[in-house]
Amino acid sequence: MPFKKLFFSGVLTALLQVSVAQAQSQTKTKVLLIGTGGTIAGEARVVGGATYDSGKLAVEALLETIPEVKDEFELEGRQLADPESATADNPAGAVNVNSSFIRERHWLILARWIQEALEGDRFDAVIVTHGTDTLEETAFFLQLTVKSSKPVFVVGAMRPSRNNADPDGPDNLRGAFRLALDNRSRNKGVLVVAQFRVFPAYDVTKVRTYPSNLPIKSEDLPVPFDAPNFGSLASIQKTGRTLKDWRITWNDRNRLLQEDRKALELKFDAAKLVSLPEVPVLSQEVGNQAKELIRDYYLQQKPEIRSFVLMGSGNCALTRETRDYIAALASRPDLVFVRSSHTASTHCHLKREDLWPNVLGAATLNPRHFKILLQLFQAAFDSDRKERETFRDALTAYLRERVPYPYGLLPD
């Protein structure tokens, strides 16, 4: 073959290869994977042992546990950054955090990163790996602060991913990546993926724990989470040879996505927040000291506190001492008390003027979730305060309009 023809043939081949590579890149789903630590990034101290150290694996090491996704997705891994952990050797403050040590400043960083990632065409989805103990709180905060139709998945594990013969973390991650390929994942808010089940962050709660070396196949482990009021959104079936063959069955009749869809439309702007106000959660049980804590500690030493969540027993019940004391504070429109319940399925009326004129109900939100809602609402109220509107009136109106109160829990 003459040199000219050989040269142009080589150029043409190279251009075709570049075009094919670009086409493949353009068709790949673009996913940002954020690692925060937890058991999913853990390492067992002894191979197969029950004791382990969480947060030993960086996000790149987690990706190595599921090497097949690199061929199917355009990926970027990012480790959680905490300015308070920055050092000369780690100027970005990259950290793995045990979920018990997750703080509100970490939430604000995650919300900002995810919001920026999902704007424009840079990423199609975000996956956050997280320890399971506070996973539901982080997921709920992201549900209230990330504004995008694109999916966000929060994934944890009950077994460490290293030095365990059958870890559950890699399959939980695969499930999230499989969901990222499904357009039906859009417009469903933040989703928690665990044991081939998909739960709405609005209602998810951890319901069980068990030893990391439980002698059961990872696929048969009990599901650590539940959505007791609205139910799971989907199930994933591990079928076929490739990740794309995994079957997803969506629960299209789920109430959260139909009649109560406004639950997914609860949104707050966290972009400018540097901290969140304190909202105490006080438990109501036999012999509790909630009245004394409110009177002698919070109201005297922390006058900036505006609201309290009272974790009642059974049907959101409060002790008589607490009820009587709170009723005596009814003339304080700057204070709000919210009844919730320690039971998994929570149904609390919005307001009962005849019983507690200054006590609101948490609807189906558990105490941890409602605390986060109050933190964000108070931050927004303080930054955009209406002079003629009290904190209690503003919150009551907001809950009546925005929060779903099913089963006739919203009085006339």
Side-chain angles (χ1 to χ4, degrees):
M1 182 181 293
F3 174 75
K4 254 185 194 179
K5 287 186 178 179
L6 184 63
F7 173 77
F8 284 113
S9 174
V11 170
L12 183 60
T13 300
L15 288 173
L16 286 172
Q17 289 174 341
V18 170
S19 298
V20 170
Q22 288 177 339
Q24 290 175 340
S25 175
Q26 289 172 357
T27 57
K28 284 184 177 181
T29 300
K30 295 170 283 189
V31 176
L32 172 64
L33 178 66
I34 302 175
T36 70
T39 297
I40 192 170
E43 179 178 49
R45 295 177 183 177
V46 178
V47 176
T51 58
Y52 63 92
D53 296 308
S54 65
K56 298 292 284 186
L57 307 183
V59 67
E60 293 81 6
L62 278 178
L63 281 172
E64 291 174 3
T65 68
I66 46 172
E68 67 272 26
V69 302
K70 294 180 180 179
D71 297 327
E72 301 290 341
F73 297 87
E74 187 175 330
L75 297 172
E76 179 179 321
R78 192 181 302 179
Q79 197 68 40
L80 176 65
D82 182 2
E84 294 191 17
S85 301
T87 64
D89 296 329
N90 181 19
V95 290
N96 262 330
V97 184
N98 183 307
S99 63
S100 299
F101 302 138
I102 287 287
R103 296 294 178 261
E104 292 150 351
R105 67 178 185 273
H106 300 133
W107 290 349
L108 294 170
I109 292 167
L110 286 172
R112 186 176 69 251
W113 281 7
I114 294 170
Q115 188 65 51
E116 291 173 352
L118 296 180
E119 291 175 353
D121 299 326
R122 189 176 176 192
F123 292 102
D124 301 305
V126 174
I127 300 174
V128 179
T129 61
H130 198 288
T132 59
D133 285 348
T134 59
L135 184 150
E136 66 175 88
E137 295 172 69
T138 297
F140 185 72
F141 180 83
L142 296 176
Q143 172 63 47
L144 296 187
T145 54
V146 174
K147 304 174 185 178
S148 177
S149 62
K150 298 177 183 178
V152 177
F153 308 102
V154 187
V155 179
M158 301 300 288
R159 290 174 169 172
S161 293
R162 181 176 287 172
N163 284 349
N164 190 293
D166 191 17
D168 56 322
D171 268 351
N172 288 340
L173 271 174
R174 290 184 183 99
F177 275 103
R178 173 64 185 91
L179 287 162
L181 295 172
D182 192 329
N183 285 331
R184 294 174 294 177
S185 297
R186 297 174 67 92
N187 291 304
K188 288 184 171 61
V190 176
L191 303 175
V192 172
V193 185
Q195 288 304 112
F196 307 100
R197 298 282 295 281
V198 185
F199 301 97
Y202 183 84
D203 191 40
V204 72
T205 187
K206 187 174 180 179
V207 294
R208 64 174 56 87
T209 185
Y210 40 79
S212 63
N213 64 340
L214 190 69
I216 298 177
K217 288 183 178 180
S218 66
E219 296 180 17
D220 299 326
L221 288 171
V223 184
F225 294 98
D226 194 8
N229 300 290
F230 292 98
S232 65
L233 298 186
S235 59
I236 305 170
Q237 189 175 356
K238 192 176 178 180
T239 57
R241 294 183 178 181
T242 68
L243 188 63
K244 288 183 178 180
D245 295 324
W246 287 23
R247 187 177 305 145
I248 300 174
T249 303
W250 289 94
N251 177 12
D252 291 328
R253 299 181 67 182
N254 184 285
R255 193 172 63 253
L256 182 65
L257 300 180
Q258 302 298 326
E259 62 194 71
D260 287 339
R261 185 165 178 81
K262 64 180 180 179
L264 299 182
E265 297 168 357
L266 274 171
K267 295 294 178 184
F268 295 89
D269 186 1
K272 296 180 181 179
L273 292 178
V274 294
S275 63
L276 293 172
E278 181 180 356
V279 175
V281 177
L282 303 179
S283 178
Q284 294 286 286
E285 71 282 327
V286 175
N288 83 91
Q289 302 297 312
K291 169 187 170 183
E292 287 74 13
L293 277 171
I294 296 170
R295 182 191 64 201
D296 301 333
Y297 176 64
Y298 288 109
L299 297 189
Q300 290 186 14
Q301 300 186 35
K302 296 191 172 185
E304 71 278 7
I305 288 179
R306 303 278 194 88
S307 50
F308 298 81
V309 177
L310 302 169
M311 183 168 61
S313 54
N315 188 23
C316 315
L318 308 181
T319 66
R320 178 165 297 280
E321 293 81 4
T322 301
R323 286 169 52 179
D324 290 346
Y325 178 66
I326 289 174
L329 296 171
S331 61
R332 292 276 305 272
D334 58 318
L335 290 178
V336 172
F337 300 88
V338 178
R339 294 183 307 137
S340 186
S341 173
H342 71 256
T343 60
S345 184
T346 306
H347 306 134
C348 297
H349 289 272
L350 172 64
K351 199 171 184 181
R352 293 290 299 275
E353 294 285 359
D354 55 329
L355 295 178
W356 310 289
N358 55 341
V359 178
L360 304 177
T364 60
L365 294 173
N366 68 38
R368 297 170 298 283
H369 288 182
F370 209 95
K371 171 199 169 195
I372 296 167
L373 174 61
L374 284 173
Q375 288 179 293
L376 288 165
F377 180 85
Q378 182 175 326
F381 180 84
D382 289 343
S383 65
D384 187 28
R385 186 169 183 176
K386 297 177 181 178
E387 292 297 328
R388 289 177 292 180
E389 190 173 36
T390 69
F391 182 66
R392 185 195 303 163
D393 288 344
L395 179 61
T396 304
Y398 183 86
L399 297 180
R400 188 181 295 276
E401 178 185 356
R402 304 291 181 89
V403 174
Y405 283 82
Y407 315 120
L409 297 180
L410 183 61
D412 295 331

